[in-house]
């Protein structure tokens, strides 16, 4: 079965951004490299310096990169800077997300091909080469070619390896900032605030109903004051507990005997 897979090269065309949920990309794990990845290079081009930066939006179009037109799949920016002067943008090259593209998928990775984007008087092509390498997790592209007509960028990453759904799940768990831990914090915080409000308002209401306070407002004030007293007492209380556990106060007892 895998033999067949290895020799089978699927070629499908699609119109829309590089889309994680595209069925061509389903066997891979592009979700793990979702976002804008780039290649950047600074050259000495006397009397100026030239910065060429290519941005590629994976699984989402580029929308928030400075000077890049919104809804691009690929966006190249060239800036030139003369000594002590502000950089000037000399070239902006884009492959719009709506441009037709071709996916070539194989065991070794995925190639995405763009043909005929307009740039000035020229029609330009691009080839994004995602290379499967189980040990690599490069985040930045390498520039293989740019001659003013043909662009070739490549990225070595295990995201371009055929991945089972189980492995994808494991991958997601490994990601340090996958929303999960944040979710935890947020929930605990929300519950704390919720319980605190119930405690204070409920306590005040109770005091007021019992007739211990003239009006609800002063009952509320009283409960809050009590609560603050409680908080003030907390440090010495926890200190006591910690001393119990670390046995510091025990030693004290022994020496007293
Ligand atoms: C080139 O410009 C980009 C975008 O402004 C910037 O992020 C990058 O650091 C620059 N590269 C170098 C090598 O200065």
């Amino acid at each position: 079965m895998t033999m067949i897979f290895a020799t089978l090269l699927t070629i499908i065309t699609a119109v829309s951004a590089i889309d994680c949920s595209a069925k061509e990309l389903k066997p891979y794990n592009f979700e793990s490299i979702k976002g804008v990845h780039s290649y950047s290079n600074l050259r000495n081009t006397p009397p100026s310096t030239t910065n060429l930066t290519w941005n590629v939006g994976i699984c989402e179009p580029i929308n928030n990169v400075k000077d890049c037109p919104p809804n691009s799949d690929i966006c190249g920016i060239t800036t030139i800077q003369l000594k002590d002067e502000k950089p000037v943008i000399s070239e902006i090259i884009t492959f719009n997300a709506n441009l037709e593209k071709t996916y070539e998928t194989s065991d070794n990775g995925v190639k995405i091909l763009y043909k005929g984007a307009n740039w000035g008087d020229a029609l330009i092509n691009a080839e994004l080469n995602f290379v499967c390498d189980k040990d690599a997790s490069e985040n930045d592209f390498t520039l293989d070619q740019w001659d003013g007509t043909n662009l070739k960028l490549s990225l070595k990453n295990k995201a371009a390896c055929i991945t089972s759904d189980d492995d994808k799940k494991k991958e997601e768990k490994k990601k340090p900032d996958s929303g999960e831990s944040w979710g935890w914090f947020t929930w605990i915080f929300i519950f704390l605030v919720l319980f605190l409000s119930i405690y204070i308002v409920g306590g005040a209401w109770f005091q007021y109903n019992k007739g211990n306070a003239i009006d609800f407002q002063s009952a509320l004030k009283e409960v809050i004051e009590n609560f603050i007293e409680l908080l003030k007492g907390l440090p010495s209380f926890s200190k006591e507990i910690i001393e119990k556990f670390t046995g510091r106060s025990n030693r004290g007892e022994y020496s007293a005997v």
Side-chain angles (χ1 to χ4, degrees):
M1 188 60 199
T2 44
M3 280 285 287
I4 299 169
F5 228 118
T7 48
L8 190 76
L9 197 73
T10 39
I11 300 178
I12 302 132
T13 48
V15 182
S16 75
I18 302 175
D19 183 359
C20 274
S21 60
K23 64 176 183 306
E24 300 87 328
L25 298 183
K26 274 271 163 63
Y28 306 90
N29 194 8
F30 275 60
E31 194 69 49
S32 67
I33 50 168
K34 182 176 176 153
V36 177
H37 295 249
S38 57
Y39 161 86
S40 187
N41 173 271
L42 197 65
R43 275 182 308 142
N44 265 319
T45 46
S48 64
T49 48
T50 303
N51 174 333
L52 172 65
T53 299
W54 288 101
N55 300 289
V56 179
I58 299 175
C59 301
E60 59 183 25
I62 299 165
N63 276 319
N64 291 311
V65 174
K66 199 170 162 274
D67 304 316
C68 282
N71 201 35
S72 2
D73 268 12
I74 307 172
C75 165
I77 304 242
T78 307
T79 54
I80 48 179
Q81 182 168 20
L82 287 163
K83 207 167 176 282
D84 304 326
E85 281 184 44
K86 275 182 88 178
V88 174
I89 299 169
S90 63
E91 292 176 3
I92 300 179
I93 302 156
T94 39
F95 291 82
N96 189 274
N98 294 326
L99 193 73
E100 188 175 292
K101 55 188 143 282
T102 311
Y103 292 95
E104 284 185 16
T105 58
S106 75
D107 259 7
N108 300 324
V110 179
K111 257 186 207 173
I112 306 179
L113 305 163
Y114 299 77
K115 252 189 149 52
N118 284 301
W119 182 54
D121 301 326
L123 288 177
I124 53 173
N125 309 315
E127 179 179 315
L128 299 177
N129 218 331
F130 297 92
V131 182
C132 164
D133 185 337
K134 287 209 159 61
D135 305 315
S137 45
E138 284 177 6
N139 265 319
D140 291 331
F141 278 90
T142 308
L143 182 69
D144 300 327
Q145 185 188 357
W146 172 237
D147 55 12
T149 311
N150 294 297
L151 168 71
K152 279 187 190 174
L153 289 164
S154 59
L155 183 71
K156 257 190 209 163
N157 197 297
K158 54 176 176 289
C161 302
I162 290 178
T163 317
S164 73
D165 283 346
D166 280 349
D167 287 342
K168 280 184 204 172
K169 281 200 192 99
K170 270 184 230 154
E171 228 5 68
E172 249 157 56
K173 277 203 191 116
K174 262 197 291 182
K175 265 200 267 174
D177 57 352
S178 74
E180 206 124 306
S181 52
W182 257 112
W184 250 95
F185 267 119
T186 319
W187 277 113
I188 287 179
F189 185 74
I190 288 171
F191 274 118
L192 271 181
V193 170
L194 204 67
F195 278 119
L196 208 64
S197 346
I198 290 171
Y199 172 82
I200 289 172
V201 176
W205 188 76
F206 184 69
Q207 292 289 338
Y208 176 60
N209 258 19
K210 258 178 35 184
N212 286 353
I214 318 142
D215 55 18
F216 189 70
Q217 224 165 20
S218 60
L220 200 62
K221 206 173 132 212
E222 198 176 312
V223 171
I224 290 173
E225 270 165 11
N226 281 345
F227 183 70
I228 289 168
E229 281 303 307
L230 189 84
L231 282 186
K232 273 189 199 152
L234 218 55
S236 63
F237 177 69
S238 33
K239 200 172 126 209
E240 227 167 85
I241 301 245
I242 289 166
E243 273 174 5
K244 273 251 158 63
F245 272 101
T246 54
R248 281 227 318 256
S249 64
N250 274 0
R251 233 177 289 140
E253 266 170 28
Y254 286 129
S255 62
V257 170

